[in-house]
Amino acid sequence: MAKGVGVYIGKNEIVAVSVVHSIKGPQVKGYAIEPINPEAAPEPAVGKAAHKLKKMSLEAKAISRALEKIKEPGAFVTAAISPSQVVTRHFIMPVVPKREESEAVRFEANRYIPFKIADSVMSYRAHVAHKNVLSVTATALKKDILQQTLSDLRAVSCKVLMIEPAYVAVARAFASMNLFQKAKTSGIVILQSDGNVNLTFASKGVVYLSRDFLLAGTGEEDKKHFFNELKASLDYFYKLTGGEAVQQVFMAGHGDLKLWVEYFEQAFNYSLRFDIAK
């Protein structure tokens, strides 16, 4: 059976998972969560192993422990990083000759990406939306963050296949389980242990909006803040797409997701479908 290993590098923890593909679909073989904490695990007192560990970052140590737990040390991995470290923006621009497209997109992206494109690694997806109008979704990551992530993974002998935003990894997992069904528009909400929440909305596979905000851990105030942020994002997505409403929202990540789903279903008067991957 074919196998895949994924590593999520969050702000507070590392998540590692191994999945095998069978005739019944993807099945989780191993799963582990390790905190990024200098006291999370004892280190060898002497020897080569101790020397190697002392040179590692806290993130690399946690990655090593997580992969050991799922029995995949030094694996080929696809890594996902915290949404708060990645910027995804959608914009439109005039159609240009294909040979000039890459440079033109980078130039236009400078208007939307909140850090210098020259100091980042950027990928984009573009298609002609209307006559002479190019629809572009660009994703950028600072080079120093990318280099540190690669360094942490390679420090524990991982062979890195790809590094991607967390919402891409979550969407691929949901798609493999046929959870998107027939919905043309959908959203992914990822809650992280540090209170960061990422909202990403797409139509027909094109991401139009991806943004983050913070929850303060204040109960009822968080509920109101979360609802207002989600409602504003849904309304903005409707405007961006020229009148397409989100049909389905998936919740993933940290915390009591079932409680959030029940709250949002009531808050939106059951007009919007919310799901949790199981």
Side-chain angles (χ1 to χ4, degrees), residues 77-134:
V77 303
T78 296
I81 58 178
S82 172
S84 62
Q85 295 182 320
V86 183
V87 173
T88 298
R89 295 289 185 268
H90 177 270
F91 53 88
I92 58 175
M93 57 181 282
V95 172
V96 295
K98 199 66 180 177
R99 65 181 181 276
E100 300 173 11
E101 183 181 279
S102 179
E103 184 177 349
V105 167
R106 289 182 65 85
F107 179 82
E108 188 69 14
N110 273 300
R111 298 175 54 194
Y112 303 93
I113 304 297
F115 44 78
K116 292 181 179 180
I117 297 298
D119 297 332
S120 70
V121 176
M122 191 188 83
S123 64
Y124 71 91
R125 176 182 177 182
H127 70 278
V128 177
H130 304 286
K131 184 178 180 180
N132 297 323
V133 177
L134 197 65

Side-chain angles (χ1 to χ4, degrees), residues 128-148:
V128 177
H130 304 286
K131 184 178 180 180
N132 297 323
V133 177
L134 197 65
S135 172
V136 182
T137 300
T139 298
L141 171 67
K142 289 184 177 180
K143 289 179 181 178
D144 58 344
I145 295 175
L146 176 62
Q147 291 300 326
Q148 184 60 56

Side-chain angles (χ1 to χ4, degrees), residues 156-215:
V156 296
S157 302
C158 287
K159 277 74 76 175
V160 184
L161 299 174
M162 181 168 55
I163 295 176
E164 61 189 1
Y167 72 79
V168 175
V170 172
R172 187 169 56 252
F174 286 173
S176 70
M177 294 182 280
N178 297 316
L179 293 179
F180 287 116
Q181 300 180 4
K182 296 181 180 180
K184 294 181 179 180
T185 56
S186 58
I188 294 174
V189 178
I190 303 175
L191 292 84
Q192 298 177 84
S193 60
D194 61 353
N196 179 273
V197 180
N198 175 259
L199 308 175
T200 299
F201 299 101
S203 173
K204 300 172 186 175
V206 177
V207 173
Y208 282 87
L209 180 63
S210 185
R211 57 182 296 267
D212 298 81
F213 65 93
L214 284 171
L215 294 177

